[in-house]
Amino acid sequence: MCVKLTVRGDTPEEKAASFLDALIKHGLAEVQDDKPARIPIPTLIWQGIDAVRLSGLTNMLDRPVVARLAGELGWPDAARWIKAHPKEYTEGVFRGFIVDPQGGKS
């Protein structure tokens, strides 16, 4: 596929903006939010994850250990959720969690 892009502007900044606009117009680029969405989770799951975080017993990126500690600290639902939702857990560690009053994804 060959696409002809027209770039306008006198300054480097104007040319860069024009180039990005052309890429977006032709579907070759997309604008993403500056701040990624946080991961919604139920209150009890957040409480278990936060209990492990506050304990300081492990790096929160060590998902299997976080799940084990959540169970040992009395948060079995959080332990099961972490094991069942590895992708959401990891995304939440990097992007942040938000307590979902509707219960999140259980």
Side-chain angles (χ1 to χ4, degrees):
M1 172 170 98
C2 182
V3 177
K4 185 174 182 179
L5 301 177
T6 303
V7 178
R8 302 183 192 323
D10 296 323
T11 67
E13 292 81 9
E14 291 171 342
K15 289 178 183 177
S18 174
F19 179 65
L20 288 174
D21 288 342
L23 289 173
I24 292 166
K25 177 182 173 186
H26 291 286
L28 300 171
E30 63 183 57
V31 178
Q32 296 188 357
D33 294 334
D34 289 340
K35 187 174 182 183
R38 294 187 288 170
I39 303 300
I41 58 173
T43 303
L44 284 176
I45 305 308
W46 166 246
Q47 290 171 336
I49 292 171
D50 198 38
V52 173
R53 183 185 66 82
L54 292 172
S55 77
L57 295 172
T58 189
N59 180 320
M60 296 304 287
L61 293 173
D62 193 345
R63 188 183 46 78
V65 174
V66 172
R68 179 180 56 79
L69 287 171
E72 290 175 5
L73 293 172
W75 300 95
D77 292 337
R80 281 190 293 277
W81 187 91
I82 293 165
K83 290 176 187 175
H85 300 92
K87 181 178 183 278
E88 291 86 351
Y89 174 78
T90 302
E91 287 179 1
V93 169
F94 285 103
R95 295 174 17 198
F97 293 103
I98 185 165
V99 174
D100 182 355
Q102 304 297 319
K105 187 176 182 181
S106 14

